[in-house]
Amino acid sequence: MDFALSEDEKLILQTARELSRAEFLPKAEEIDETSKFPHENVAKLSELGFMGMMVDEKWGGAGLSSLAYAIAIEEVSYACASTGVIMSVNNSLVCDPIERYGTDQQKEKWLKPLASGELLGAYCLTEPNAGSDASQQKTIAVPDGNEIVLNGSKNFITNGQVADVLVVYCMTDPSAGNRGISCFIVDAKEKGVELGKKENTMGIRGSSTCTIAFNDVRVPKENQLGPTGKGFNVALSTLDGGRIGIAAQALGIAAHALDQATKYSQERIAFGKPIAELQAIQWMIADSVTELEAARLLVHQAAVKKDSGERYSPEAAMAKLAASRAAVTVSDRAVQIHGGYGYIKEYSVERCYRDAKITEIYEGTSEIQRLVIARNLLK
Ligand SMILES: Cc1cc2nc3c(=O)[nH]c(=O)nc-3n(C[C@H](O)[C@H](O)[C@H](O)COP(=O)(O)OP(=O)(O)OC[C@H]3O[C@@H](n4cnc5c(N)ncnc54)[C@H](O)[C@@H]3O)c2cc1C
C-alpha cells in the first residue's frame, strides 16, 4: 500500500500546520479554560474548505482524499483538540452520510451549506440507554400525514449547543430491532428541539457536548436519510469513517505531547545535566515516538483503503484503537517527563492528558473496536 503524499496532500499538510500553529495553538489554553466554543477557528476552517473536505466539489466540498482529511485533522488537533473534533463530526458524521445516502434535493439543501461551513452539523445516535449497544434506540419516529413526529432524547452530542443540522437516528419499527431504525435530518431550530445543559467535560472542553430532547418534533417526510429500517447501517458505516477522524485527532494530541516532552527534557536540569541524558527519559521518548509512528501508519492505511473504495471497517477500528491508546500513553509519559510542572495547567501536556482520554471512548470505545477487529478475523 502506497502512503506517499500527493502534491495536494502535501499542500494540505502545510496549510493545516501553518494555520493551526499560528491561529489555534495560542488560543487552545483559553478555549480549554473557558469551555467556549471556538467559532473563530471554525470560520477559518470553513474559509479553507476544511468543513467539507471529502465532499464532492459538485456539492460545495473540497473533493479531497481521506488521507488529506486525516492529515488536516491531526494538524488541527495538535493545536486544539476541541477544534479537531468539531471539524471531524461535521466532515465524517454529518456531511459523509448525507453525501452517501441523501437525495439530490437533500444535498442541495443541507450538504452544500454544511460542506461550506455555513451550517454546522451534529450526529445524534447515543441515548441514555443506548451507547455501545446503539441498537437500543428509544427515540421514536411516527408518520403523520406528510410529516414524521419525533419523540425521545439523545445525550453526549458533540456540537450539540451550536449545531444547525442534526442527523438523528430513531426507531420507526420497535418490533424489528436494529432493522427498525431510520435516520432523519432535523433542523435544530425546529419547534420541540430542546437543548440540555452543556456537559462539564474532562477534556475537549470547547466542543459543546449536550443532551438534546425531541418533544413532538415534526419534520417533513422528505427529510428521511436513506431507506426506512436501514438507519443502523447508515449509523455504523458512518462511524467507520468517523473513526479515521478520531484516530487522526488522537495522533495530533500525541504529537503535541511528545514535542513538548522532548523539548522540556532538553531544558530541564537534574543531577547536573539535562534529563534528556537519562536513559529512563530516553526510553519514554523512544517508546512514545515508536507508538505514535506505528499508529500514524495505521491511520494512513485506513484512509488510503477508504479512498480505494474497498471495505475498511477493520482498518478504521485498528487505527482508532492504536492511535487513541498512543494518545493516552504518550500524554501520560509527557506529564511524567515534566515532573510536577506537568501537573500544572500552564504546561499544555496537562491538557493533552485530559483531551486524550475521550479518543478511547467516543465513536466506539476501545472494547467495541476490539469486537469489530476480532469479528472480522473470526467470521
Ligand atoms: C464528550 C463526548 C462526546 C460524544 N459525542 C457524541 C456524539 O456527537 N454523538 C453521539 O451519538 N454520541 C456521542 N458520544 C457518546 C459516545 O459515543 C458513547 O459515550 C460511547 O459510545 C460509549 O457509550 P456509553 O457511554 O453508553 O458507555 P457503555 O456503552 O455503557 O459502556 C460502558 C463500558 O462497557 C463497555 N462495553 C459495553 N459493551 C461492551 C461489549 N459488548 N464488550 C465489551 N465491553 C463493552 C464499554 O467499552 C465501556 O467500557 C459522546 C460521548 C462523550 C463523552
Side-chain angles (χ1 to χ4, degrees), residues 148-266:
I148 305 278
V149 185
L150 271 56
N151 275 290
S153 182
K154 299 287 174 180
N155 65 335
F156 296 142
I157 304 306
T158 302
N159 296 346
Q161 292 216 319
V162 287
D164 307 287
V165 182
L166 312 173
V167 174
V168 187
Y169 296 88
C170 307
M171 201 51 103
T172 43
D173 180 1
S175 67
N178 64 23
R179 291 197 180 86
I181 295 169
S182 305
C183 180
F184 299 92
I185 305 172
V186 179
D187 184 334
K189 291 185 195 68
E190 211 68 74
K191 191 164 165 253
V193 174
E194 279 178 28
L195 306 181
K197 73 169 174 50
K198 187 170 162 173
E199 301 294 354
N200 190 5
T201 53
M202 176 195 289
I204 55 158
R205 295 178 56 76
S207 63
S208 193
T209 305
C210 75
T211 301
I212 303 183
F214 298 87
N215 301 316
D216 286 327
V217 176
R218 303 184 84 86
V219 298
K221 267 191 173 163
E222 68 251 25
N223 282 24
Q224 183 172 319
L225 183 62
T228 304
K230 293 284 180 200
F232 202 56
N233 302 42
V234 178
L236 294 194
S237 61
T238 296
L239 284 175
D240 284 341
R243 286 167 187 164
I244 296 178
I246 299 306
Q249 182 201 24
L251 295 179
I253 297 168
H256 180 124
L258 177 60
D259 279 357
Q260 291 303 308
T262 308
K263 186 165 160 275
Y264 185 82
S265 71
Q266 290 164 307

Side-chain angles (χ1 to χ4, degrees), residues 28 31-32 36-38 76-77 79-87 158-159 203-207 249 355:
I31 289 166
D32 175 62
K36 272 208 304 228
F37 186 86
V76 170
S77 304
C80 176
S82 292
T83 306
V85 70
I86 293 162
M87 176 181 161
T158 302
N159 296 346
I204 55 158
R205 295 178 56 76
S207 63
Q249 182 201 24
D355 284 343

Side-chain angles (χ1 to χ4, degrees), residues 287-337:
D287 285 346
S288 293
V289 71
T290 305
E291 288 160 22
L292 171 59
E293 289 291 332
R296 191 179 281 124
L297 287 173
L298 283 173
V299 176
H300 289 196
Q301 169 182 259
V304 169
K305 190 117 190 245
K306 178 170 185 271
D307 286 334
S308 76
E310 287 176 64
R311 185 171 170 269
Y312 64 98
S313 181
E315 285 79 8
M318 287 190 282
K320 183 173 183 284
L321 179 64
S324 58
R325 186 82 299 248
V328 171
T329 315
V330 172
S331 306
D332 184 14
R333 291 195 196 104
V335 170
Q336 195 68 18
I337 289 171

Side-chain angles (χ1 to χ4, degrees), residues 46-81:
S46 304
E47 278 169 30
L48 289 174
F50 279 17
M51 295 306 279
M53 285 187 81
M54 296 165 290
V55 173
D56 197 310
E57 285 163 304
K58 180 179 167 193
W59 300 113
L64 289 160
S65 66
S66 302
L67 184 54
Y69 168 63
I71 292 165
I73 293 265
E74 177 178 343
E75 288 303 322
V76 170
S77 304
Y78 181 104
C80 176

